[in-house]
């Protein structure tokens, strides 16, 4: 790390940060809504985005500071096991092609804003809807925190703040970034990250294209990079008494690798922010087209992951693996281009953090505030509450970052994955069948949540006594696997068994307000406007 503040890199970073901030506030005038006092307009961009806007929005939503910082950091720290993110982003697109268009159609038909809206309408259960909403909010908090960790990592490398300065001075730049993010999200809603995503993705593609060519040339080629990485991974960690990692996962790690990839793929589009970006599109064909072109980001992710090997080969030494890639950029690039790379990471954190806070706020407003606290809330009141809650969510994530160990940032998101995966039976199952009983789904969710949280709590690491990872022994098999997938299997077993029991005793089932034709409805078909009109004037 260079001594003092890297003025040139910081200047470039600030330039791009100011530029996207201006764009964030101007976004309120982009595709200006006829009625801005509407959750559809503020929280879903008026459900009007076409293929390219949706592609950039989803890309900005799914490929985040986590992509730039934590995935290569995992490879830097442990080797090829960190590549799990690449196969899971390949697996996910065939999966979502089967159910996202159905979710878009039924949500368009009935005016659903959140997944919990759909669950309530499909199963006639406010309790199950509340469980899905609370899980979504809970899982989103650490994901937003991870984005803030990404911003803090690049600020540390540029010499702004640092571990040795006073806490307020150290965290002030992050507080400023948080304040700006909160302000333009409050003002412009989903339109802000949708517009900024164009800049974010362009910067990321430029940085990756340069890095994947320029850095290997300076390091003597990929053969030399892999040779140095292999030697480094073979060295024994004095804390654990085991090799640091491996270029290829060993046989002992294959179950963990495979279950983590599969579980993460199943969980990705259960997150509220993924659904928010999906429902903002204007037709089901937009969703289908995006599932075919979004894999381009997976190619980018594979190239990004290689940066972890490059950091080792370049001799990067950091106590916190999250700093490895920002430090690699500062060491290898000219200062001005390092600033561009840091800006790509920083903006790559702002875009998803904005969408995540909006998604969590929508869940609270629609499925807690309106369903339980104020059923007669007007559209204007719902929009106001959602804006305020989006600020509170960001504050919660900020506290999460400032009070917890940042060396385990990737585990924040993995813990959220364990939780959000437990909503899959209600959401995806409900899109294809009404067979599951609402009480059985709720019981299965509870079992999955309790088991997943307890199992994760019991995982220790060299730096943490609890929540030190997301893998543990799979009961009955004896192999180490992803806790979230084990919890999901228990969830499904409980749901299926209890559904048989509850149907046998003729337990009352909720009213399904949807019909089969709703799941294939497209834009322009009657339904959504009539549903929105029921909400009252101003909607």
């Amino acid at each position: 790390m260079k001594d003092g503040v890297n003025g040139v890199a910081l200047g470039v970073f600030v330039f791009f940060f100011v530029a996207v901030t201006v764009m964030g506030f101007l976004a309120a005038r982009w595709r200006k809504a006829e009625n801005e006092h509407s959750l559809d307009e503020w929280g879903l961009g008026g459900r009007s985005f076409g293929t390219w806007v949706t592609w950039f929005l989803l890309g900005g939503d799914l490929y985040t500071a986590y992509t730039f910082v934590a995935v290569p950091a995992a490879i830097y720290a442990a080797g090829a096991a960190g590549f799990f993110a690449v196969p899971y982003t390949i697996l996910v697109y065939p999966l979502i092609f089967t159910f996202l268009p159905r979710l878009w159609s039924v949500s368009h038909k009935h005016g659903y804003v959140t997944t919990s809206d759909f669950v309530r309408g499909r199963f006639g259960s406010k309790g199950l809807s509340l469980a899905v909403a609370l899980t979504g909010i809970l899982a989103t908090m650490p994901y937003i925190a991870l984005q803030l960790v990404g911003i803090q990592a690049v600020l540390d490398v540029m010499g702004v703040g640092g571990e040795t300065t006073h806490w307020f001075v150290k965290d002030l730049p992050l507080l400023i970034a948080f304040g700006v993010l909160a302000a333009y999200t409050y003002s412009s809603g989903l339109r802000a990250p949708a517009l900024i995503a164009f800049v974010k993705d362009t910067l990321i593609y430029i940085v990756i294209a340069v890095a994947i060519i320029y850095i290997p040339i300076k390091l003597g080629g990929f053969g030399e990079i892999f040779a140095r990485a292999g030697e480094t991974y073979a060295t024994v960690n004095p804390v654990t008494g085991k090799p640091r990692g491996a270029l290829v996962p060993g046989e002992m790690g294959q179950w963990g690798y495979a279950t983590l990839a599969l579980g993460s793929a199943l969980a990705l589009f259960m997150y509220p922010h993924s659904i928010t970006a999906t429902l903002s599109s204007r037709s089901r064909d937009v969703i289908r087209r995006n599932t075919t072109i979004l894999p381009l980001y997976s190619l980018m992710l594979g190239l990004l992951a290689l940066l972890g090997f490059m950091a080792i080969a370049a001799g990067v030494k950091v106590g916190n693996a999250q700093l490895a890639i920002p430090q690699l950029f500062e060491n290898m690039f000219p200062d001005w281009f390092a600033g561009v790379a840091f800006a790509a990471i920083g903006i790559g954190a702002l875009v998803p953090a904005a969408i995540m806070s909006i998604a969590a706020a929508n869940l609270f407003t629609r499925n807690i505030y309106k369903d339980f606290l104020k059923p007669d809330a007007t559209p204007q009141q719902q929009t106001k509450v959602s804006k305020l809650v989006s600020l509170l969510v960001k504050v919660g994530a900020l506290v999460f970052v400032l009070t917890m160990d940042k060396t385990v940032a990737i585990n924040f998101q993995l813990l959220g994955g364990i939780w959000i995966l437990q909503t899959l039976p209600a959401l995806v199952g409900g899109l294809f069948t009404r067979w599951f009983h609402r009480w059985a789904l709720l019981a299965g969710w509870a079992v999955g949540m309790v088991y997943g949280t307890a199992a994760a709590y019991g995982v220790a690491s060299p730096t943490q006594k609890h929540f030190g990872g997301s893998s543990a022994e799979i009961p009955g098999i004896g192999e180490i696997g992803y806790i979230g997938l084990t919890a999901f299997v228990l969830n499904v077993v409980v749901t299926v068994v209890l559904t048989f029991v509850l149907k046998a005793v003729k337990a009352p089932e909720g009213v399904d307000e949807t019909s089969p034709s709703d799941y294939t409805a497209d834009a322009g078909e009657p339904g959504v406007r009539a549903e929105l009109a029921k909400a009252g004037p101003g909607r």
Side-chain angles (χ1 to χ4, degrees), residues 27-38 40-42 45-46 48 188 191 539:
R29 300 176 179 273
W30 177 52
R31 297 169 178 255
K32 191 171 179 63
E34 294 180 5
N35 176 20
E36 61 185 23
H37 300 296
S38 161
D40 261 17
E41 295 293 346
W42 184 82
S48 62
S188 303
R191 286 175 170 81
R539 176 73 183 202

mmCIF file of all heavy atoms in Angstrom, residues 27-38 40-42 45-46 48 188 191 539:
data_model
loop_
_atom_site.group_PDB
_atom_site.id
_atom_site.type_symbol
_atom_site.label_atom_id
_atom_site.label_comp_id
_atom_site.label_asym_id
_atom_site.label_seq_id
_atom_site.Cartn_x
_atom_site.Cartn_y
_atom_site.Cartn_z
ATOM 1 N N ALA A 27 -32.265 11.497 -12.387
ATOM 2 C CA ALA A 27 -33.084 10.349 -12.789
ATOM 3 C C ALA A 27 -34.559 10.551 -12.472
ATOM 4 O O ALA A 27 -35.430 9.930 -13.091
ATOM 5 C CB ALA A 27 -32.577 9.078 -12.100
ATOM 6 N N ALA A 28 -34.853 11.444 -11.515
ATOM 7 C CA ALA A 28 -36.252 11.714 -11.181
ATOM 8 C C ALA A 28 -36.990 12.306 -12.374
ATOM 9 O O ALA A 28 -38.212 12.183 -12.489
ATOM 10 C CB ALA A 28 -36.340 12.657 -9.992
ATOM 11 N N ARG A 29 -36.249 12.958 -13.294
ATOM 12 C CA ARG A 29 -36.861 13.561 -14.486
ATOM 13 C C ARG A 29 -36.846 12.613 -15.683
ATOM 14 O O ARG A 29 -37.435 12.908 -16.715
ATOM 15 C CB ARG A 29 -36.112 14.846 -14.859
ATOM 16 C CG ARG A 29 -36.127 15.883 -13.753
ATOM 17 C CD ARG A 29 -35.293 17.105 -14.147
ATOM 18 N NE ARG A 29 -35.319 18.122 -13.108
ATOM 19 C CZ ARG A 29 -36.249 19.072 -12.998
ATOM 20 N NH1 ARG A 29 -37.232 19.124 -13.889
ATOM 21 N NH2 ARG A 29 -36.202 19.956 -12.026
ATOM 22 N N TRP A 30 -36.120 11.491 -15.558
ATOM 23 C CA TRP A 30 -36.006 10.527 -16.657
ATOM 24 C C TRP A 30 -37.252 9.643 -16.653
ATOM 25 O O TRP A 30 -37.596 9.052 -15.648
ATOM 26 C CB TRP A 30 -34.738 9.688 -16.465
ATOM 27 C CG TRP A 30 -34.539 8.613 -17.471
ATOM 28 C CD1 TRP A 30 -34.551 8.728 -18.827
ATOM 29 C CD2 TRP A 30 -34.245 7.234 -17.197
ATOM 30 N NE1 TRP A 30 -34.295 7.523 -19.419
ATOM 31 C CE2 TRP A 30 -34.105 6.588 -18.445
ATOM 32 C CE3 TRP A 30 -34.095 6.480 -16.036
ATOM 33 C CZ2 TRP A 30 -33.819 5.222 -18.555
ATOM 34 C CZ3 TRP A 30 -33.804 5.144 -16.132
ATOM 35 C CH2 TRP A 30 -33.674 4.527 -17.378
ATOM 36 N N ARG A 31 -37.929 9.568 -17.794
ATOM 37 C CA ARG A 31 -39.189 8.812 -17.881
ATOM 38 C C ARG A 31 -40.127 9.268 -16.767
ATOM 39 O O ARG A 31 -40.703 8.452 -16.040
ATOM 40 C CB ARG A 31 -38.948 7.302 -17.748
ATOM 41 C CG ARG A 31 -38.104 6.709 -18.846
ATOM 42 C CD ARG A 31 -37.708 5.285 -18.491
ATOM 43 N NE ARG A 31 -36.935 4.646 -19.519
ATOM 44 C CZ ARG A 31 -37.405 3.712 -20.337
ATOM 45 N NH1 ARG A 31 -38.652 3.309 -20.219
ATOM 46 N NH2 ARG A 31 -36.636 3.166 -21.244
ATOM 47 N N LYS A 32 -40.250 10.574 -16.624
ATOM 48 C CA LYS A 32 -40.992 11.155 -15.504
ATOM 49 C C LYS A 32 -42.403 10.589 -15.415
ATOM 50 O O LYS A 32 -43.125 10.513 -16.400
ATOM 51 C CB LYS A 32 -41.053 12.677 -15.640
ATOM 52 C CG LYS A 32 -41.582 13.372 -14.382
ATOM 53 C CD LYS A 32 -41.406 14.870 -14.488
ATOM 54 C CE LYS A 32 -41.955 15.584 -13.266
ATOM 55 N NZ LYS A 32 -41.262 15.221 -12.039
ATOM 56 N N ALA A 33 -42.770 10.210 -14.204
ATOM 57 C CA ALA A 33 -44.066 9.578 -13.978
ATOM 58 C C ALA A 33 -45.191 10.597 -14.037
ATOM 59 O O ALA A 33 -45.030 11.758 -13.660
ATOM 60 C CB ALA A 33 -44.070 8.890 -12.618
ATOM 61 N N GLU A 34 -46.351 10.146 -14.508
ATOM 62 C CA GLU A 34 -47.532 10.994 -14.472
ATOM 63 C C GLU A 34 -47.944 11.266 -13.031
ATOM 64 O O GLU A 34 -48.423 12.340 -12.697
ATOM 65 C CB GLU A 34 -48.685 10.316 -15.227
ATOM 66 C CG GLU A 34 -48.452 10.171 -16.721
ATOM 67 C CD GLU A 34 -49.626 9.504 -17.402
ATOM 68 O OE1 GLU A 34 -50.643 9.245 -16.721
ATOM 69 O OE2 GLU A 34 -49.540 9.253 -18.614
ATOM 70 N N ASN A 35 -47.755 10.268 -12.187
ATOM 71 C CA ASN A 35 -48.088 10.425 -10.767
ATOM 72 C C ASN A 35 -46.962 9.824 -9.941
ATOM 73 O O ASN A 35 -46.847 8.609 -9.812
ATOM 74 C CB ASN A 35 -49.413 9.724 -10.448
ATOM 75 C CG ASN A 35 -49.733 9.797 -8.962
ATOM 76 O OD1 ASN A 35 -49.200 10.634 -8.247
ATOM 77 N ND2 ASN A 35 -50.594 8.902 -8.508
ATOM 78 N N GLU A 36 -46.098 10.685 -9.418
ATOM 79 C CA GLU A 36 -44.929 10.202 -8.685
ATOM 80 C C GLU A 36 -45.279 9.672 -7.301
ATOM 81 O O GLU A 36 -44.468 9.012 -6.661
ATOM 82 C CB GLU A 36 -43.899 11.325 -8.561
ATOM 83 C CG GLU A 36 -44.411 12.540 -7.810
ATOM 84 C CD GLU A 36 -43.413 13.681 -7.802
ATOM 85 O OE1 GLU A 36 -42.553 13.713 -8.691
ATOM 86 O OE2 GLU A 36 -43.509 14.539 -6.908
ATOM 87 N N HIS A 37 -46.501 9.958 -6.806
ATOM 88 C CA HIS A 37 -46.922 9.467 -5.491
ATOM 89 C C HIS A 37 -47.518 8.069 -5.618
ATOM 90 O O HIS A 37 -48.641 7.799 -5.214
ATOM 91 C CB HIS A 37 -47.931 10.429 -4.872
ATOM 92 C CG HIS A 37 -47.394 11.807 -4.672
ATOM 93 N ND1 HIS A 37 -46.345 12.083 -3.820
ATOM 94 C CD2 HIS A 37 -47.745 12.990 -5.244
ATOM 95 C CE1 HIS A 37 -46.082 13.378 -3.853
ATOM 96 N NE2 HIS A 37 -46.910 13.958 -4.708
ATOM 97 N N SER A 38 -46.737 7.164 -6.180
ATOM 98 C CA SER A 38 -47.193 5.803 -6.427
ATOM 99 C C SER A 38 -46.037 4.860 -6.202
ATOM 100 O O SER A 38 -44.908 5.109 -6.654
ATOM 101 C CB SER A 38 -47.712 5.677 -7.865
ATOM 102 O OG SER A 38 -47.758 4.330 -8.258
ATOM 103 N N ASP A 40 -45.731 1.976 -7.474
ATOM 104 C CA ASP A 40 -45.373 1.441 -8.780
ATOM 105 C C ASP A 40 -44.330 2.318 -9.457
ATOM 106 O O ASP A 40 -43.412 1.821 -10.118
ATOM 107 C CB ASP A 40 -46.615 1.349 -9.685
ATOM 108 C CG ASP A 40 -47.192 -0.050 -9.709
ATOM 109 O OD1 ASP A 40 -46.845 -0.840 -8.814
ATOM 110 O OD2 ASP A 40 -47.977 -0.349 -10.616
ATOM 111 N N GLU A 41 -44.468 3.630 -9.316
ATOM 112 C CA GLU A 41 -43.552 4.550 -9.972
ATOM 113 C C GLU A 41 -42.240 4.662 -9.214
ATOM 114 O O GLU A 41 -41.169 4.540 -9.798
ATOM 115 C CB GLU A 41 -44.200 5.940 -10.106
ATOM 116 C CG GLU A 41 -45.413 5.976 -11.010
ATOM 117 C CD GLU A 41 -45.064 5.708 -12.465
ATOM 118 O OE1 GLU A 41 -43.867 5.749 -12.826
ATOM 119 O OE2 GLU A 41 -45.999 5.438 -13.246
ATOM 120 N N TRP A 42 -42.304 4.900 -7.906
ATOM 121 C CA TRP A 42 -41.070 5.079 -7.134
ATOM 122 C C TRP A 42 -40.319 3.757 -6.961
ATOM 123 O O TRP A 42 -39.099 3.709 -7.115
ATOM 124 C CB TRP A 42 -41.402 5.642 -5.752
ATOM 125 C CG TRP A 42 -40.179 5.931 -4.934
ATOM 126 C CD1 TRP A 42 -39.384 7.039 -4.989
ATOM 127 C CD2 TRP A 42 -39.598 5.072 -3.935
ATOM 128 N NE1 TRP A 42 -38.341 6.933 -4.091
ATOM 129 C CE2 TRP A 42 -38.458 5.739 -3.429
ATOM 130 C CE3 TRP A 42 -39.937 3.820 -3.418
ATOM 131 C CZ2 TRP A 42 -37.655 5.189 -2.428
ATOM 132 C CZ3 TRP A 42 -39.133 3.275 -2.425
ATOM 133 C CH2 TRP A 42 -38.016 3.953 -1.944
ATOM 134 N N GLY A 45 -40.205 1.812 -10.968
ATOM 135 C CA GLY A 45 -39.911 2.568 -12.181
ATOM 136 C C GLY A 45 -41.065 2.637 -13.154
ATOM 137 O O GLY A 45 -40.877 2.770 -14.362
ATOM 138 N N GLY A 46 -42.302 2.530 -12.627
ATOM 139 C CA GLY A 46 -43.474 2.574 -13.499
ATOM 140 C C GLY A 46 -43.693 1.307 -14.299
ATOM 141 O O GLY A 46 -44.509 1.291 -15.230
ATOM 142 N N SER A 48 -41.908 0.033 -16.576
ATOM 143 C CA SER A 48 -41.817 0.510 -17.955
ATOM 144 C C SER A 48 -40.495 0.223 -18.652
ATOM 145 O O SER A 48 -40.287 0.624 -19.789
ATOM 146 C CB SER A 48 -42.036 2.038 -17.973
ATOM 147 O OG SER A 48 -41.020 2.694 -17.224
ATOM 148 N N SER A 188 -35.334 9.766 -6.263
ATOM 149 C CA SER A 188 -35.609 9.240 -7.609
ATOM 150 C C SER A 188 -36.113 7.808 -7.639
ATOM 151 O O SER A 188 -36.549 7.336 -8.691
ATOM 152 C CB SER A 188 -34.335 9.344 -8.467
ATOM 153 O OG SER A 188 -33.868 10.666 -8.515
ATOM 154 N N ARG A 191 -35.531 4.591 -10.564
ATOM 155 C CA ARG A 191 -34.970 5.209 -11.764
ATOM 156 C C ARG A 191 -33.499 5.589 -11.573
ATOM 157 O O ARG A 191 -32.733 5.597 -12.529
ATOM 158 C CB ARG A 191 -35.785 6.447 -12.144
ATOM 159 C CG ARG A 191 -37.139 6.120 -12.754
ATOM 160 C CD ARG A 191 -37.947 7.381 -12.993
ATOM 161 N NE ARG A 191 -39.144 7.112 -13.788
ATOM 162 C CZ ARG A 191 -40.263 6.630 -13.311
ATOM 163 N NH1 ARG A 191 -40.334 6.343 -12.011
ATOM 164 N NH2 ARG A 191 -41.305 6.417 -14.087
ATOM 165 N N ARG A 539 -53.238 6.768 -7.177
ATOM 166 C CA ARG A 539 -52.381 5.609 -7.429
ATOM 167 C C ARG A 539 -51.725 5.743 -8.785
ATOM 168 O O ARG A 539 -50.584 5.419 -8.980
ATOM 169 C CB ARG A 539 -53.217 4.337 -7.363
ATOM 170 C CG ARG A 539 -52.449 3.066 -7.700
ATOM 171 C CD ARG A 539 -51.499 2.657 -6.601
ATOM 172 N NE ARG A 539 -50.735 1.494 -6.987
ATOM 173 C CZ ARG A 539 -50.144 0.674 -6.150
ATOM 174 N NH1 ARG A 539 -50.228 0.879 -4.878
ATOM 175 N NH2 ARG A 539 -49.449 -0.352 -6.566
#
